[in-house]
C-alpha cells in the first residue's frame, strides 16, 4: 500500500532565484528584493510552490554573496530589512513558501567573527576557524586544495599561522568542532525561522567538518588537465566526514523547534550511497539532500535510467526524492543538451517521483551566455582562466520582454544578456503554445492536479540506448506513462511484455496533445510524451 506524501516540500515545485539576476528595481543593473516582489505574480502564474533565494546578506561579494559578513542582515544592494519582510509577506500572501540560502561552512573574511579570530592567537574566537602552524620547513599544513584554485591554506603574517579555506581566501572555513560555532549558527537559523522563513538550502553541507588529524588527501589517479585544479586530489579527508551527520541532525532539530513544515535542503555533491546518509538515521537529517545526478551524468538514456533506478532503490524508507537540472554553479540544461532535448528534460524533471527544483530562466529555455573574457566576474573563472570554469554564463539576467535590457533593468546589467532576448523572453513565450514556458506551465499544472504525479510510485517500464519509459501510479488514481526519447533520432517504443493504451496529455511536440496511443509508438527525435493511461492498466 502506497504511503501518501502530502507535505508541501514533497508535492510542490521549488524555483531558484539568483537575486542579482532576476529583476532590478532601482536601475543599478543588479537584481534586488523589490524586483523579486514585482515578479511574484509571474511565479504564481507559473504554479511555483516555493522560492529559494541565493544569498541576500551583507557581503563583500568576493563570491557573489556566498561570503557572508552578517548572517542576519540584508545587503543594501538587494534592499532593506523592511523590503525582506515585505517579500516574505507577499510570498506567503500568494500561498507560496520562501527558502533562504544558509552558508554555515564559511564566513567572509570581513565577518566580525573572523576579524576577531585573526586579531590574535589568544582571541576567544581563535578556535572558531581552522588555524594551523606551518610545517617545520615552512610549508602549508597539508595538501588540501581550494575548490576555486590553488592551495586551501592562507598565511596570516600577523599571527604567524595558516587558516583553511575550502573556497576563496576571503571565505575562511568555520571550525564546526567548536560548540560555540554550532550554537551561533543555530541562532542564525532561529532568527530566520522565527521571522517565518520556510526553510533553508544549506550550502556545501558535506564540507562542514574536516578530518581531525588534517591528513593529506590522496592523489586523484583520474585527474586530467582540463579539470579544475581542485580535482588533483580526492577530498576524502577534507569533506564528508562521519561527524558531519551529527551536525546535520542538530540542524534538523533546530528546524523542528518551529511549527509548520520547515524544510532543510542540503547542497551535496556525492555519489548516491554517500548522499543517502544525509537523510540521517530515521530521516532525522536533511529533508532533501540535493540529488544532482541529472546535472552531472552524461545525457544518455541507458545511464540515466540506471541512475534513476539506483537512486530510487537506495532511498531510505520514507526518504523523499528530489531532482535538479541546473543551478547557478552549473551549465544550463538547454546548453548541455540543446533546446529540443531540454523539452524532454523538462518532462523528466516534472514527472519523476520527487521534488523538482527549477533554476530561474530554464523555464524559457535560457542558454549559457558567452561572456567576453574582459567581462568575466566569477572568481572561479578568473582564478583558473585557461579552464573555462566561469559560472557567469549561467547567471545572466532573466529575460522578461523585448523592452530595454529585456525588462531586467533600466541601467547597465551586471552581466550581459543573450543575443536572442528580443525574440525569446517570458512575454513572447507566454502566449505561444509551442514555447518552453507553455510546456513548463502545463507540466507544473498537471503535476499539481494529479496525485499519481506528485505523490505516486515510480515504476520503471523500459529503457534502451534511446528511450526511457516509466509509470507513475497511486492507488485509486489515474495512472501516467512517461515515454522519453533522449536522442535526436527517431525510434520505436514497443516494449516487450507491456501493453498499454491511453491519451497523450502533454507532448514535446504539442501537435499530438490529445491523440490516442496503444502498445506501440514511433517517436521523433527529441520527443517526449506524458500519457494518461486508460483505467485498469
Ligand atoms: C556552493 C555555492 O552554490 C557556490 O555558488 C559557492 O561559490 C560555493 N558553495 C561556496 O560558498
Amino acid at each position: 500500500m502506497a504511503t501518501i506524501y502530502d507535505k508541501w516540500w514533497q508535492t510542490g515545485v521549488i524555483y531558484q532565484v539568483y537575486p542579482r539576476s532576476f529583476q532590478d528595481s532601482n536601475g543599478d543593473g543588479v537584481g534586488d528584493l523589490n524586483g523579486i516582489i514585482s515578479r511574484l505574480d509571474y511565479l504564481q502564474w507559473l504554479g511555483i510552490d516555493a522560492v529559494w533565494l541565493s544569498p541576500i546578506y551583507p557581503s563583500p561579494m568576493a563570491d557573489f554573496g556566498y561570503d557572508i559578513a552578517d548572517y542576519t542582515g540584508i545587503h543594501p544592494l538587494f534592499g532593506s530589512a523592511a523590503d525582506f519582510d515585505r517579500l516574505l509577506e507577499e510570498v506567503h500572501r500568494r500561498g507560496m513558501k520562501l527558502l533562504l540560502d544558509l552558508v554555515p561552512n564559511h564566513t567572509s573574511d570581513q565577518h566580525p567573527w573572523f576579524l576577531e579570530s585573526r586579531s590574535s592567537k589568544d582571541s576567544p574566537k581563535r578556535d572558531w576557524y581552522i588555524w594551523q602552524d606551518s610545517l617545520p620547513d615552512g610549508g602549508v599544513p597539508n595538501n588540501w586544495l581550494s575548490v576555486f584554485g590553488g592551495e586551501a591554506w592562507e598565511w596570516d603574517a600577523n599571527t604567524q599561522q595558516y587558516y583553511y579555506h575550502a573556497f576563496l581566501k576571503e571565505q575562511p572555513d568555520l571550525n564546526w568542532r567548536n560548540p560555540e560555532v554550532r550554537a551561533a549558527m543555530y541562532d542564525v537559523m532561529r532568527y530566520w525561522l522565527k521571522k517565518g522563513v520556510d526553510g533553508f538550502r544549506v550550502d556545501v553541507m558535506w564540507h562542514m567538518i574536516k578530518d581531525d588529524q588534517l591528513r593529506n588527501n590522496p592523489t586523484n589517479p583520474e585527474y586530467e588537465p582540463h579539470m579544475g585544479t581542485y580535482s588533483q586530489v580526492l577530498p576524502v579527508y577534507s569533506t564528508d566526514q562521519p561527524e558531519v551527520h551529527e551536525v546535520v541532525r542538530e540542524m534538523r532539530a533546530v528546524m523542528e523547534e518551529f511549527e509548520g513544515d520547515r524544510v532543510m535542503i542540503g547542497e551535496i555533491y556525492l555519489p548516491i550511497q554517500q548522499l543517502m546518509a544525509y537523510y540521517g538515521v530515521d530521516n532525522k537529517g536533511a529533508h532533501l539532500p540535493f540529488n544532482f545526478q541529472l546535472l552531472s551524468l552524461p545525457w544518455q538514456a541507458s545511464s540515466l535510467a540506471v541512475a534513476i533506478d539506483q537512486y530510487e532503490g537506495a532511498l531510505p524508507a520514507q526518504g523523499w526524492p528530489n531532482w535538479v537540472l541546473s543551478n547557478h554553479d552549473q551549465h544550463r540544461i538547454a546548453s548541455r543538451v540543446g533546446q529540443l532535448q531540454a523539452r524532454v528534460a523538462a518532462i523528466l524533471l516534472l514527472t519523476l517521483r520527487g521534488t523538482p527544483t527549477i533554476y530561474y530562466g530554464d523555464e524559457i529555455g535560457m542558454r549559457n551566455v558567452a561572456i567576453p573574457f574582459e567581462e568575466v566576474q566569477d572568481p572561479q573563472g578568473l582564478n583558473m582562466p585557461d579552464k573555462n570554469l566561469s559560472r557567469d554564463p549561467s547567471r545572466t539576467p532573466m529575460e522578461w520582454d523585448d523592452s530595454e535590457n529585456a525588462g531586467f533593468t533600466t541601467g547597465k546589467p551586471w552581466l550581459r544578456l543573450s543575443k536572442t532576448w528580443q525574440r525569446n523572453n517570458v512575454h513572447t513565450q507566454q502566449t505561444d503554445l509551442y514555447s518552453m514556458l507553455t510546456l513548463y506551465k502545463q507540466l507544473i499544472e498537471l503535476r499539481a492536479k494529479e496525485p499519481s504525479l506528485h505523490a505516486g510510485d515510480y515504476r520503471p517500464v523500459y529503457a534502451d540506448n534511446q528511450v526511457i519509459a516509466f509509470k507513475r501510479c497511486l492507488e485509486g488514481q489515474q495512472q501516467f506513462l512517461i515515454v522519453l526519447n533522449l536522442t535526436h533520432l527517431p525510434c520505436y517504443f514497443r516494449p516487450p511484455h507491456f501493453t498499454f493504451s491511453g491519451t497523450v496529455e502533454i507532448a514535446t511536440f504539442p501537435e499530438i496533445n490529445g491523440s490516442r496511443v496503444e502498445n506501440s509508438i514511433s517517436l521523433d527525435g527529441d520527443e517526449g510524451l506524458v500519457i494518461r493511461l486508460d483505467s485498469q492498466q
Side-chain angles (χ1 to χ4, degrees), residues 70-210:
D70 172 5
Y71 283 97
T72 53
I74 302 293
H75 196 302
L77 197 58
F78 296 127
S80 64
D83 294 334
F84 177 80
D85 291 346
R86 198 161 67 87
L87 171 64
L88 183 60
E89 200 181 301
E90 291 290 329
V91 168
H92 284 165
R93 199 163 64 77
R94 288 169 177 78
M96 298 191 284
K97 309 283 184 188
L98 189 66
L99 308 178
L100 291 185
D101 218 308
L102 183 77
V103 187
N105 177 69
H106 45 269
T107 67
S108 159
D109 64 347
Q110 299 307 307
H111 194 292
W113 297 343
F114 188 69
L115 295 177
E116 168 61 47
S117 181
R118 83 181 309 174
S119 67
S120 136
K121 268 186 169 165
D122 304 322
S123 157
K125 289 204 167 45
R126 186 65 171 180
D127 185 53
W128 280 40
Y129 293 83
I130 302 170
W131 291 99
Q132 283 292 307
D133 290 333
S134 59
L135 294 183
D137 66 358
V140 289
N142 65 21
N143 71 350
W144 295 0
L145 297 175
S146 156
V147 175
F148 290 150
E151 284 164 348
W153 296 96
E154 181 69 12
W155 180 246
D156 181 59
N158 184 34
T159 57
Q160 296 284 301
Q161 277 191 316
Y162 284 101
Y163 67 85
Y164 175 68
H165 58 93
F167 297 90
L168 297 174
K169 66 175 175 17
E170 292 85 358
Q171 295 167 294
D173 280 46
L174 284 161
N175 174 16
W176 273 83
R177 293 181 185 275
N178 183 324
E180 289 173 14
V181 167
R182 296 187 185 196
M185 199 58 75
Y186 300 156
D187 279 347
V188 169
M189 294 172 70
R190 290 187 185 101
Y191 174 86
W192 292 109
L193 291 168
K194 216 176 277 171
K195 261 190 184 294
V197 159
D198 301 286
F200 302 105
R201 171 268 193 190
V202 181
D203 192 66
V204 296
M205 191 178 254
W206 84 113
H207 271 262
M208 288 176 64
I209 285 215
K210 348 285 168 191

Side-chain angles (χ1 to χ4, degrees), residues 333-499:
I333 184 70
S335 285
R336 279 195 294 125
V337 303
Q339 291 282 4
L340 283 177
Q341 193 55 220
R343 295 174 67 82
V344 177
I347 297 184
L348 186 63
L349 175 72
L350 290 156
T351 58
L352 278 172
R353 190 175 82 99
T355 309
T357 299
I358 298 172
Y359 183 49
Y360 85 94
D362 272 7
E363 77 274 24
I364 55 168
M366 275 175 62
R367 302 175 68 218
N368 279 22
V369 175
I371 304 294
F373 207 69
E374 332 63 78
E375 293 174 21
V376 174
Q377 312 226 16
D378 177 26
Q380 182 169 270
L382 292 170
N383 290 357
M384 293 175 273
D386 49 338
K387 305 225 179 207
N388 259 319
L389 288 175
S390 168
R391 297 167 295 179
D392 294 337
S394 58
R395 297 176 172 181
T396 61
M398 182 70 174
E399 298 172 353
W400 295 104
D401 55 39
D402 64 0
S403 69
E404 189 187 4
N405 298 317
F408 166 69
T409 182
T410 52
K412 182 176 184 300
W414 77 285
L415 280 176
R416 62 170 57 207
L417 299 157
S418 75
K419 299 181 180 82
T420 55
W421 62 266
Q422 267 150 320
R423 62 180 154 95
N424 198 16
N425 53 55
V426 169
H427 184 71
T428 54
Q429 293 199 16
Q430 264 178 325
T431 48
D432 176 0
L433 173 63
Y434 302 99
S435 71
M436 185 73 91
L437 185 56
T438 301
L439 178 66
Y440 264 88
K441 183 167 161 58
Q442 288 174 349
L443 286 165
I444 293 169
E445 231 166 61
L446 186 68
R447 194 177 186 282
K449 209 167 60 191
E450 294 293 341
S452 288
L453 289 176
H454 62 244
D457 293 342
Y458 159 85
R459 303 223 182 114
V461 164
Y462 177 78
D464 59 24
N465 55 8
Q466 285 192 277
V467 176
I468 291 181
F470 55 90
K471 264 172 47 164
R472 297 294 312 284
C473 338
L474 193 68
E475 223 175 275
Q477 302 289 335
Q478 288 224 276
Q479 303 190 355
F480 289 82
L481 172 67
I482 292 65
V483 182
L484 306 172
N485 180 355
L486 268 69
T487 73
H488 306 309
L489 299 174
C491 64
Y492 297 105
F493 173 66
R494 281 186 303 174
H497 321 299
F498 179 75
T499 57

